[in-house]
Amino acid sequence: QGQLVESGGGSVQAGGSLRLSCIVSDRTFSIYRMGWFRQTPGKEREFVAAISWSGGYTAYADSVKGRFSISRDNAKNTVYLQMNSLKPEDTAVYYCASDSFGLFGNRAVAAFNSWGQGTQVTVSS
């Protein structure tokens, strides 16, 4: 199976930017879509953004539209999440995930079958 490894998390002040990366190593399965989710202690994991591996489809949660941008580099088996104008409420553990089913309209956690271990993003005011 493929393994997802996130990086790029850290601490930043409100209004700042951060770029997360997710590398898919030992890729042995088809990936139709990559996504980013985040989770705050005490809350359920929530959808942030997704992109088709072909690059023709992107989706964003309303809370991050206009501030976050998802992209991918197929040759490097890497997906990115550029986060701008960060707010304290963006503080969470961010997870990348892969969708081997091609459920492009489904933003549920269950629609993604492989997950990374997460990277912490902390935004201070």
Side-chain angles (χ1 to χ4, degrees), residues 22-27 34 53 73-79:
C22 177
I23 300 176
V24 182
S25 61
D26 299 324
R27 182 177 173 182
M34 294 292 296
W53 203 242
D73 187 331
N74 291 19
K76 296 181 179 180
N77 288 328
T78 303
V79 63

Side-chain angles (χ1 to χ4, degrees), residues 39-85:
Q39 186 169 25
T40 301
K43 295 184 178 181
E44 296 183 353
R45 191 168 299 185
E46 65 176 350
F47 174 85
V48 175
I51 185 171
S52 63
W53 203 242
S54 66
Y57 158 87
T58 57
Y60 297 92
D62 290 340
S63 60
V64 305
K65 285 183 178 179
R67 299 189 298 118
F68 290 10
S69 179
I70 188 171
S71 61
R72 88 283 180 270
D73 187 331
N74 291 19
K76 296 181 179 180
N77 288 328
T78 303
V79 63
Y80 306 94
L81 183 67
Q82 179 66 46
M83 304 184 293
N84 300 321
S85 301

Side-chain angles (χ1 to χ4, degrees), residues 5-12 17-23 36 78-83 86 92 94 118-122:
V5 180
E6 303 97 334
S7 64
S11 299
V12 63
S17 299
L18 209 59
R19 188 196 194 200
L20 305 183
S21 299
C22 177
I23 300 176
W36 285 97
T78 303
V79 63
Y80 306 94
L81 183 67
Q82 179 66 46
M83 304 184 293
L86 284 164
Y94 283 72
T119 184
Q120 177 70 48
V121 172
T122 302

Side-chain angles (χ1 to χ4, degrees), residues 90-103:
D90 293 320
T91 295
V93 175
Y94 283 72
Y95 300 87
C96 67
S98 63
D99 168 20
S100 295
F101 308 117
L103 304 176

